[in-house]
Amino acid sequence: MAGGIVPSSGGREPGKDYPGETTMYVIIACIVAAMGGLIFGYDIGISGGVTSMTPFLKSFFPSVYKRESGIQSSNQYCKFDSQILTLFTSSLYIAALLASFVTSWITRRFGRTWTIFYGGLVFVVGAVMNGLAQNLAMLIIGRLLLGVGVGFASQSVPLYLSEMAPYKMRGALNQMFQLFITIGILIANVLNYFTNRMENGWRWSLGLAAVPGLVILVGGIFLPETPNFLIDRNRSEEAKKRLQRIRGVANVDEEYNDLVAASEASKKVTNPWHRLFFDRNYRPQLTYSVALPSLQQITGINVVMFYAPVLFKTLGFGGDASLMSALITGGVNVLATFVAIWLADRKGRRTLFLAGGIQMFISQLVVGGLIWYKFKWSGEGNVSGAYAIIVVLFICAFVTGFAYSWGPLAWLVISEILPLEVRSAGQSVNVSLNMFWTFVIGQAFLILLCHLKFLLFFVFAICVLGMSLFIYITLPETKGIPIEEMSRIWSLHSFWKKYIPTED
């Protein structure tokens, strides 16, 4: 079968079975660190709701308000088409992209926990500035600061989780990051629903982003550093004690020695960026560091998550109805992420990737068809209550498919396949491309919806089909493989063995 691994001892090469258990100590540490996803998710959820609020549009985007209210146009597809409006949402991701390159050095030099702390600190400052904004410049500057915080958290948290988690639970614990992203989206949707009824409620929505920022700021102070980083900084005795603590057993010699060997190999690499990009042994890691974050964004998920209220208003929903529909999709997103946490270490990454891809493909086709049937090319018309429910159901089906597959697994797979010597560089590529494509899709969606209309959803469906085929052909199963053994799987895989020399 394409994409399989030749040895099959639970999906991993026999010979390594580190002792230890999943301790409460490591679970608490991983939950606190994973809360870094709150700031990412809160921002994704809050921006779409705020940009659909009438007082916000009147204050900062009056031309959009006139189109949205029908004063200037009745074309449903184009009522929110404004590059300045989309810049408010997507500017955050340009800042996150640039921050990710700096974060690579900070993560490797000062550690994972201090990077989380710095991310929370900058995010809090940006949230306060947005909540107090008096003009568009303050809004954009605040968004840029939020982006720096998101870039720091997105770089450091998945690495922290993969390095702290025991390999048998790495899938579940690593996906806590995605879970908290979805929880952040849901919290934002709930707040938007209620603040929409307040005068200048958008200030509360934007300003309350400081709360999740404070959570990870404090968490960064108290979180224990990973054994991998301690070994890398020549704090060997402390690293061994930390490993014993997080594994819950005294005998950690085999895992500890593997970590030391990986660290020594890492220190011989003076330029991890050159090694990642030009050493043929790292072709799989480079490929996935580039492909997974790029493909994750062209599913169209952020069209739904960023612009859910805007999208539903475009389809003719009323203000409260559009926010309630976004609240429903946010709730579905959270619940479906638990499926990924439960199944990733049982059924494997490939199975969830492929199942989610099929579900997203079908859902996008149906949503595109429903929009075409109601609005055709003209964009004129509205949806009835029953029709709106059907649209929301299929959008929820799409969100569900993403939430148990491409949402968490794209972050998980990259964080677990990168060897220590190129881990920070590879994660920087991952984060920067994720943010780049998030920016591109976020900035382009409303203008694409205006011009491509319902065909846009068919384009996303074709993208999902292609990326599912990519996973089927190239991705080996990585569940149950210790992170320091991961480099062995490539020379055994039916696709990669043509490019990677077999290890002796």
Side-chain angles (χ1 to χ4, degrees), residues 52 308-313 317-327:
S52 72
V310 171
L311 178 61
F312 290 125
K313 268 197 168 183
F317 289 49
D320 279 354
S322 67
L323 290 170
M324 177 55 73
S325 300
L327 181 57

Side-chain angles (χ1 to χ4, degrees), residues 2 6 44 70 85 96 143 150-151 303 322 356 428 449 471 493:
V6 177
I44 290 173
L85 178 64
R143 295 287 295 174
V150 168
V303 166
S322 67
S428 284
L449 180 62
I471 290 294
H493 185 261

Side-chain angles (χ1 to χ4, degrees), residues 230-303:
L230 295 174
I231 291 172
D232 206 38
R233 305 311 297 173
N234 297 317
R235 295 155 63 180
S236 300
E237 184 176 343
E238 183 182 355
K240 190 165 188 177
K241 290 181 180 178
R242 181 66 48 78
L243 191 60
Q244 290 170 333
R245 178 78 186 276
I246 65 178
R247 299 295 180 250
V249 295
N251 179 20
V252 293
D253 290 346
E254 185 175 18
E255 184 175 4
Y256 174 78
N257 290 335
D258 283 348
L259 292 177
V260 171
S263 178
E264 291 174 351
S266 173
K267 290 176 181 178
K268 294 177 182 178
V269 178
T270 57
N271 190 335
W273 291 93
H274 186 276
R275 178 67 65 92
L276 177 65
F277 278 91
F278 297 104
D279 190 324
R280 64 191 295 246
N281 289 298
Y282 296 94
R283 284 178 181 174
Q285 291 89 342
L286 176 61
T287 298
Y288 292 115
S289 294
V290 171
L292 293 188
S294 303
L295 296 175
Q296 184 192 56
Q297 296 312 307
I298 62 173
T299 58
I301 187 60
N302 280 333
V303 166

Side-chain angles (χ1 to χ4, degrees), residues 245-467:
R245 178 78 186 276
I246 65 178
R247 299 295 180 250
V249 295
N251 179 20
V252 293
D253 290 346
E254 185 175 18
E255 184 175 4
Y256 174 78
N257 290 335
D258 283 348
L259 292 177
V260 171
S263 178
E264 291 174 351
S266 173
K267 290 176 181 178
K268 294 177 182 178
V269 178
T270 57
N271 190 335
W273 291 93
H274 186 276
R275 178 67 65 92
L276 177 65
F277 278 91
F278 297 104
D279 190 324
R280 64 191 295 246
N281 289 298
Y282 296 94
R283 284 178 181 174
Q285 291 89 342
L286 176 61
T287 298
Y288 292 115
S289 294
V290 171
L292 293 188
S294 303
L295 296 175
Q296 184 192 56
Q297 296 312 307
I298 62 173
T299 58
I301 187 60
N302 280 333
V303 166
V304 175
M305 293 294 101
F306 282 171
Y307 297 116
V310 171
L311 178 61
F312 290 125
K313 268 197 168 183
T314 295
L315 298 179
F317 289 49
D320 279 354
S322 67
L323 290 170
M324 177 55 73
S325 300
L327 181 57
I328 292 170
T329 58
V332 167
N333 196 20
V334 173
L335 293 176
T337 304
F338 282 105
V339 175
I341 293 174
W342 182 51
L343 291 179
D345 290 317
R346 291 174 171 82
K347 299 300 183 181
R349 287 56 158 156
R350 278 172 50 82
T351 299
L352 294 184
F353 264 126
L354 295 174
I358 293 171
Q359 185 169 328
M360 288 189 292
F361 172 70
I362 295 172
S363 300
Q364 288 277 36
L365 287 180
V366 174
V367 170
L370 289 170
I371 295 174
W372 166 80
Y373 182 78
K374 183 58 63 175
F375 296 112
K376 302 299 191 293
W377 281 103
S378 68
E380 304 288 338
N382 285 288
V383 293
S384 65
Y387 204 87
I389 291 173
I390 296 173
V391 173
V392 171
L393 285 175
F394 276 99
I395 289 178
C396 285
F398 167 75
V399 170
T400 300
F402 179 86
Y404 71 72
S405 63
W406 279 87
L409 297 181
W411 293 102
L412 168 61
V413 168
I414 293 175
S415 68
E416 66 185 357
I417 66 173
L418 290 167
L420 183 61
E421 63 270 20
V422 296
R423 191 166 296 160
S424 291
Q427 187 67 2
S428 284
V429 173
N430 172 31
V431 173
S432 61
L433 282 173
N434 188 290
M435 299 306 162
F436 171 76
W437 285 109
T438 301
F439 168 80
V440 170
I441 297 297
Q443 191 67 25
F445 166 64
L446 294 178
I447 191 171
L448 288 175
L449 180 62
C450 182
H451 290 84
L452 292 180
K453 304 177 173 54
F454 61 86
L455 289 178
L456 179 59
F457 296 90
F458 295 147
V459 171
F460 285 135
I462 293 171
C463 291
V464 170
L465 184 63
M467 54 203 266

Side-chain angles (χ1 to χ4, degrees), residues 171-183:
L173 291 177
N174 186 282
Q175 288 175 100
M176 296 295 289
F177 179 62
Q178 179 67 20
L179 175 64
F180 277 104
I181 290 177
T182 64
I183 291 173

Side-chain angles (χ1 to χ4, degrees), residues 59 68 73 101 129 134 178 197 251 303 425 443 462 481:
S59 298
E68 186 272 334
S73 173
F101 294 103
M129 181 171 287
Q134 300 299 313
Q178 179 67 20
R197 305 180 180 192
N251 179 20
V303 166
Q443 191 67 25
I462 293 171
I481 302 176

